[in-house]
Amino acid sequence: MKINLIAIAICIAFATSGCAKTESTDEKVDALIAKMTVQEKAGQLNQYSGFEILTGDIDDSKISDRNQRIKNGLLGSVLNVLGTEDVEQAQRYAVEQTRLGIPLIFAFDVIHGYRTIFPIPLAESASWDLEAIERSARIAAIEASAAGQNWTFAPMVDISHDPRWGRVMEGAGEDPYLGGKIAQARVRGFQGNDLSQPDTIAATAKHFAAYGEVIAGREYNNVDISRRKLWETHLPPFKAALDAGIKTFMNAFNEFEGVPASANTYLIDDILRGQWAFDGVLVSDWDSIGAMVTSGVIEDDAGTAEMALEAGTDIDMESDVFVKYLPELVEQGRVDEALIDKAVKRVLRLKFELGLFDDPYQYIDAEREKALILAPEHREAARDMARKSVVLLKNENQLLPLDKNIKNLAIIGPLGDNQFHMNGFWRGKGQAADVVTLLEGVKAKISNNTVVRYAEGSGLETMDQEKLADAVALAKQSDVVILAVGEDADKTGEAASRTNIELYPAQKALVKAIHATGTPAVMVLMNGRPLAIEWSEANIPSILNGWLLGTEAGNALADVLFGDYNPSGKLTMTVPRKTGQIPIFYNHKRISRPLDDTRYTSQYVDSSNDPLYPFGYGLSYTNFSYSAIKLSTDSINLNESLEASVTVTNSGKRFGEEVVQLYVKDMVGSAVRPVMELKGFEKIALKAGESQEVKFTIDADDLAFYTRDMSFKAEPGDFALMIGPSSISYESVPFKLTVN
Ligand code: NOJ
């Protein structure tokens, strides 16, 4: 029988009131805080990685020291302690061996699945399917919580315009509106309706803020942007996550206006805690507090603790400075204990909300763990999410979908039969052995009469003349080649910036050699970022952006390649022609000398300005036609709204899904306005020949922006409303916003 020591402790604390049922969480938390020493309080604000807590192979002295700290109540949460067995061991230290028995929170980067790995988040965003994205996060939470986890460091809601930055794989692309919607879907999925349930976990909006702006796309680099850019581009998805009830935020590694994010009073105190009234937990990024010494804004570790706490950061991940220095800082009168209490209160409140005080072991259920991890229905959902994430970039002469009765099919390329890379970066507890490769998926799909052969052709980055020759020979004997090329999973994600986002030279050479054989080729790109494949776009007849799709990658790709699923993904990040075009994004501001055919306009002398593939772009095996836009009125005042509608018809021969996109352009603004901004979208499913009316509503709130004086409001005047299948293909109609 589990004895609920905490509940008893709390009841004792409330003995005079008879342990009344009406005690609010805040009262319970306050009662507990009243019993804590400063050192224990600092402990609650301390977070270590479990790699060094429970496993014996790193540094023995550290391990026992850290274990001892759990037992002394000097640790409030851990990350990277995984699986019910290890979680239970650590939780027992905390609950049974510390003076107050306060349970630990167990955190992990559950970014796109725990063991059943879903597509990387950038891929999922290309589905524009909020329900599917929510389901993906839900399943990740179900599996993670079944393995004892209570908290994920996701979603990363950083907007980025720079595919050199490896972490774009972890985000939802370049658009703040879409990014906000996706952030909300993921928060709903992770947190569910009731955080105290054992199958929900707290979510984290990270990295607060503007981390997507690292200079030159280089990880951990500085950021230097205006407040305007911060508010227009970077804050909206954070605010959206907050509106969806997200429980925690994480600091960023970067500075903003000269002050590291972990101690940035403008970001934390003014915006997050002040204007947005967020009273949940703010956790630092890994050692981002201690690293302020390296940044040179403070001389010593104690000072970093003081700065971060005072700004409003609650939990110190891995710097070890809160637990070490806060007690002495209080003693020296440098830190007010009341400030520590505030942070502790937020941490304890989260523990209550997670249900950990009711039952610290409720997430620890080995039976559940066994039954739920990699459950068949989770794999099925991962396959569905994966095929929805694929973007058809090119399909000359309808080479795709392929015929299942094709005689000789070749799969060529270093990723054609690879399990490991399909799981992408941030693969949780995903195992390569669980993954269905492209070759396996295709073999399971085609008829018995088809001969499928595989040749690696090259390494991911290394040329091999022998492999190349074998691949060329195979291509020559085949009716169609599927080229599986792209990126090493570990060269995407954290600490994986690239200076060149083209295919690696070895793979380029392979693609060219296969093309030279004359055998029709379908390219399946397996990537963690947009890749600049200008040569392939010009020469390879069909191209699928197949991302790194997770456990069911091969099955999902086979579904798309052979037409059992009609691709419906649309890009959420612009694909440049050349690395040198970065940053490139659809919703850039209007410029004083826009490109025309004269020299002294904004352009490159060695490349087109146009992207290779624009935001919102993606093809289907069917065709969709759009009717003219109907507006309910072409003039509204600040209190009115207008309805814009189009009828979309599936004018092709097969069932398909279409993402109908609504953009708005403000013709004149007191501050320079974007050329267009996404303001709505709807994903619809249509049988061949079927039509559907899609309606959008626009009001003054949708037209509001940060005006010249940075107040957020709509300015009356002329606008254009655009509806269409992508950011470069639409009909545009004018409307007016008038004063009341
Ligand atoms: C550093 C990363 O920046 C952050 O996103 C992640 O959650 C932490 N490490 C913990 O692993």
Side-chain angles (χ1 to χ4, degrees):
M1 194 183 74
K2 287 176 189 163
I3 300 174
N4 194 337
L5 295 174
I6 308 305
I8 293 171
I10 306 269
C11 272
I12 292 168
F14 279 84
T16 47
S17 61
C19 203
K21 282 205 174 92
T22 49
E23 290 145 21
S24 69
T25 300
D26 275 1
E27 285 168 334
K28 291 178 190 170
V29 167
D30 288 341
L32 196 49
I33 291 177
K35 296 172 27 176
M36 296 170 78
T37 63
V38 180
Q39 187 62 77
E40 284 165 337
K41 291 175 187 174
Q44 285 303 306
L45 309 182
N46 185 29
Q47 181 176 102
Y48 290 141
S49 171
F51 298 142
E52 295 181 10
I53 292 178
L54 295 171
T55 53
D57 55 357
I58 294 178
D59 172 348
D60 279 342
S61 61
K62 222 179 203 172
I63 292 158
S64 56
D65 175 50
R66 287 189 164 192
N67 271 337
Q68 198 49 50
R69 288 197 206 170
I70 309 187
K71 294 176 190 167
N72 291 345
L74 300 181
L75 192 63
S77 51
V78 290
L79 72 152
N80 301 327
V81 174
L82 306 172
T84 50
E85 209 181 310
D86 282 2
V87 168
E88 179 165 357
Q89 184 188 335
Q91 193 67 303
R92 288 206 180 275
Y93 288 156
V95 173
E96 293 171 7
Q97 300 196 30
T98 64
R99 191 177 79 87
L100 293 169
I102 299 173
L104 295 168
I105 309 183
F106 294 85
F108 187 46
D109 289 286
V110 184
I111 307 297
H112 52 115
Y114 180 77
R115 172 74 183 264
T116 306
I117 300 304
F118 282 70
I120 56 167
L122 181 62
E124 287 194 354
S125 73
S127 73
W128 298 60
D129 186 331
L130 300 178
E131 250 174 59
I133 292 171
E134 179 177 337
R135 189 164 59 242
S136 159
R138 183 88 284 279
I139 289 170
I142 288 171
E143 290 197 1
S145 59
Q149 303 306 304
N150 334 112
W151 184 11
T152 177
F153 298 134
M156 185 189 94
V157 303
D158 296 318
I159 297 295
S160 177
H161 301 148
D162 197 335
R164 290 171 299 184
W165 190 44
R167 299 201 75 166
V168 297
M169 57 77 49
E170 203 182 338
E174 71 191 35
D175 185 68
Y177 171 83
L178 179 61
K181 294 283 179 211
I182 290 174
Q184 293 186 324
R186 302 192 71 207
V187 172
R188 288 195 298 272
F190 288 131
Q191 295 192 167
N193 300 325
D194 179 356
L195 205 58
S196 71
Q197 291 304 306
D199 66 351
T200 55
I201 58 179
T204 308
K206 70 185 186 185
H207 306 87
F208 196 70
Y211 193 37
E213 290 280 350
V214 280
I215 294 171
R218 206 181 67 218
E219 185 77 301
Y220 314 129
N221 207 350
N222 292 330
V223 163
D224 191 2
I225 59 164
S226 65
R227 285 194 185 201
R228 174 172 294 282
K229 183 97 192 252
L230 176 77
W231 282 95
E232 288 174 346
T233 304
H234 297 285
L235 293 183
F238 284 100
K239 182 60 170 47
L242 184 60
D243 292 343
I246 198 159
K247 291 292 170 186
T248 79
F249 273 61
M250 183 188 286
N251 299 136
F253 285 122
N254 56 277
E255 47 131 356
F256 178 73
E257 295 182 336
V259 184
S262 301
N264 191 302
T265 47
Y266 176 61
L267 292 177
I268 303 173
D269 198 36
D270 188 342
I271 300 175
L272 186 60
R273 302 279 190 216
Q275 300 181 48
W276 293 357
F278 174 67
D279 203 21
V281 168
L282 175 60
V283 60
S284 78
D285 202 343
W286 186 289
D287 188 34
S288 65
I289 300 180
M292 290 195 285
V293 171
T294 320
S295 301
V297 287
I298 185 89
E299 273 164 0
D300 57 9
D301 288 348
T304 64
E306 183 181 351
M307 272 177 73
L309 187 85
E310 281 189 347
T313 297
D314 300 317
I315 293 182
D316 168 11
M317 180 198 290
E318 276 290 329
S319 296
D320 224 7
V321 294
F322 276 9
V323 73
K324 272 193 187 151
Y325 299 107
L326 287 180
E328 72 185 48
L329 288 167
V330 170
E331 221 165 84
Q332 293 161 3
R334 280 169 66 186
V335 164
D336 183 354
E337 192 175 343
L339 214 55
I340 299 182
D341 289 354
K342 269 193 177 176
V344 174
K345 188 166 181 171
R346 293 192 278 252
V347 173
L348 294 180
R349 203 193 288 131
L350 180 61
K351 295 186 177 187
F352 270 100
E353 287 170 346
L354 285 164
L356 290 169
F357 278 108
D358 291 327
D359 179 0
Y361 304 105
Q362 72 158 346
Y363 295 80
I364 304 165
D365 180 341
E367 294 290 302
R368 241 182 105 230
E369 184 178 27
K370 218 168 138 215
L372 292 173
I373 301 286
L374 215 60
E377 62 273 24
H378 295 177
R379 291 192 74 129
E380 200 36 59
R383 179 175 183 163
D384 188 48
M385 184 78 252
R387 56 194 173 208
K388 286 181 163 140
S389 305
V390 173
V391 184
L392 177 61
L393 297 174
K394 183 179 176 192
N395 198 16
E396 207 171 82
N397 303 326
Q398 270 72 53
L399 177 57
L400 286 174
L402 298 173
D403 185 345
K404 287 180 192 163
N405 291 310
I406 232 164
K407 280 217 177 84
N408 286 298
L409 182 63
I411 297 184
I412 293 177
L415 292 168
D417 193 25
N418 186 286
Q419 292 183 301
F420 173 80
H421 294 293
M422 296 304 103
N423 278 339
F425 196 78
W426 294 123
R427 45 195 168 265
K429 280 288 270 185
Q431 307 291 306
D434 300 335
V435 170
V436 179
T437 69
L438 176 62
L439 179 64
E440 290 164 346
V442 168
K443 277 189 171 163
K445 178 72 67 184
I446 37 88
S447 78
N448 291 335
N449 308 326
T450 305
V451 178
V452 184
R453 281 169 296 184
Y454 172 65
E456 204 181 338
S458 79
L460 277 165
E461 291 174 48
T462 45
M463 282 272 272
D464 181 323
Q465 292 305 340
E466 216 172 291
K467 284 183 183 167
L468 185 62
D470 289 348
V472 166
L474 175 58
K476 284 183 179 158
Q477 298 155 23
S478 304
D479 301 315
V480 174
V481 173
I482 300 175
L483 270 168
V485 291
E487 292 189 285
D488 177 325
D490 286 340
K491 293 200 170 164
T492 75
E494 185 173 351
S497 298
R498 292 181 63 180
T499 57
N500 181 341
I501 61 156
E502 295 175 24
L503 282 176
Y504 290 107
Q507 294 189 57
K508 257 198 215 170
L510 173 65
V511 171
K512 288 185 179 174
I514 299 304
H515 174 258
T517 65
T519 305
V522 174
M523 178 185 275
V524 178
L525 268 186
M526 297 172 165
N527 48 338
R529 53 162 64 77
L531 291 181
I533 49 158
E534 203 176 15
W535 189 91
S536 300
E537 162 60 25
N539 294 283
I540 302 295
S542 290
I543 305 176
L544 284 174
N545 197 332
W547 310 108
L548 299 170
L549 291 178
T551 311
E552 287 288 325
N555 284 332
L557 288 167
D559 288 342
V560 174
L561 285 163
F562 293 91
D564 288 342
Y565 182 81
N566 185 354
S568 62
K570 304 246 188 183
L571 296 170
T572 58
M573 213 173 162
T574 304
V575 180
R577 297 174 176 279
K578 298 189 160 56
T579 307
Q581 287 178 299
I582 298 170
I584 180 169
F585 50 103
Y586 86 96
N587 52 349
H588 61 85
K589 299 217 179 136
R590 286 168 66 179
I591 48 180
S592 58
R593 287 187 173 216
L595 173 70
D596 63 23
D597 51 10
T598 61
R599 164 129 196 211
Y600 293 98
T601 56
S602 180
Q603 61 182 297
Y604 296 104
V605 291
D606 62 351
S607 166
S608 148
N609 280 9
D610 290 340
L612 191 59
Y613 304 110
F615 177 85
Y617 170 83
L619 303 172
S620 164
Y621 296 153
T622 189
N623 296 311
F624 297 99
S625 56
Y626 283 64
S627 72
I629 298 172
K630 272 195 286 182
L631 291 188
S632 58
T633 169
D634 60 4
S635 176
I636 53 171
N637 69 29
L638 293 165
N639 302 321
E640 293 172 336
S641 60
L642 69 75
E643 198 175 83
S645 58
V646 288
T647 298
V648 181
T649 301
N650 180 344
S651 47
K653 291 203 175 66
R654 54 169 77 219
F655 169 86
E657 292 158 275
E658 169 70 332
V659 181
V660 183
Q661 300 160 42
L662 167 79
Y663 297 89
V664 165
K665 176 177 184 179
D666 188 347
M667 303 311 282
V668 178
S670 60
V672 180
R673 307 289 294 121
V675 290
M676 65 197 305
E677 293 174 284
L678 184 74
K679 291 291 176 185
F681 63 91
E682 198 176 323
K683 189 163 188 174
I684 56 171
L686 295 175
K687 292 190 202 114
E690 204 182 353
S691 297
Q692 187 177 324
E693 188 179 31
V694 179
K695 290 183 183 163
F696 298 102
T697 306
I698 288 282
D699 62 23
D701 286 347
D702 299 307
L703 307 176
F705 72 105
Y706 293 95
T707 56
R708 189 170 302 183
D709 66 2
M710 286 301 286
S711 54
F712 189 70
K713 60 176 189 235
E715 290 177 341
D718 289 327
F719 291 83
L721 181 150
M722 295 153 265
I723 299 180
S726 83
S727 65
I728 57 155
S729 171
Y730 49 78
E731 186 205 345
S732 173
V733 291
F735 72 99
K736 267 186 201 310
L737 180 70
T738 60
V739 273
N740 293 359

